[in-house]
Amino acid sequence: MDQGGAPPVFSASAELDGDHLRVVVTGEVDMATADTMLQTVLREPARQVTLDLRAVTFFDSAAIHAVVRLAQQYPGTLDVLPSRQVGRVLEISGLGDQAWLRGA
């Protein structure tokens, strides 16, 4: 279906710089896309991960689960940059005070 030039509903792109991986996610992260976000991070060997969610417009429980799994996979080396919406969802879910959450 042609979206008339509208931005994609979901995208995840990865950029590896040495041992630092930056994954930029846009659009809706839900049951259909959360695993793609997770696998985009896990497919690259990295010690430090920045998950940039500042362009995410929808974030559900599957997305929360994926981020928690990443926090377990990268203890102390994951930084999550939330959009306002993501920050709100994480706050409501009781994760607003996690060390990996930046600038929420």
Side-chain angles (χ1 to χ4, degrees):
M1 179 170 148
D2 183 15
Q3 295 181 346
V9 175
F10 171 83
S11 71
S13 60
E15 181 180 311
L16 190 60
D17 183 11
D19 62 357
H20 180 241
L21 176 67
R22 179 180 183 86
V23 175
V24 177
V25 181
T26 62
E28 300 177 359
V29 186
D30 57 19
M31 188 171 73
T33 59
D35 189 59
T36 300
M37 177 183 72
L38 178 68
Q39 294 307 318
T40 300
V41 175
L42 295 179
R43 90 171 52 107
E44 298 290 344
R47 288 190 207 163
Q48 175 73 36
V49 175
T50 299
L51 185 61
D52 187 341
L53 304 177
R54 293 177 291 185
V56 170
T57 56
F58 182 81
F59 202 73
D60 74 0
S61 61
I64 294 169
H65 179 73
V67 170
V68 169
R69 284 186 58 194
L70 289 172
Q72 292 169 341
Q73 181 79 21
Y74 298 97
T77 62
L78 173 69
D79 290 319
V80 176
L81 309 176
S83 66
R84 184 172 160 204
Q85 178 66 23
V86 171
R88 185 168 180 249
V89 169
L90 292 172
E91 187 68 39
I92 290 168
S93 66
L95 296 171
D97 62 351
Q98 295 299 304
W100 42 259
L101 188 59
R102 306 284 181 230

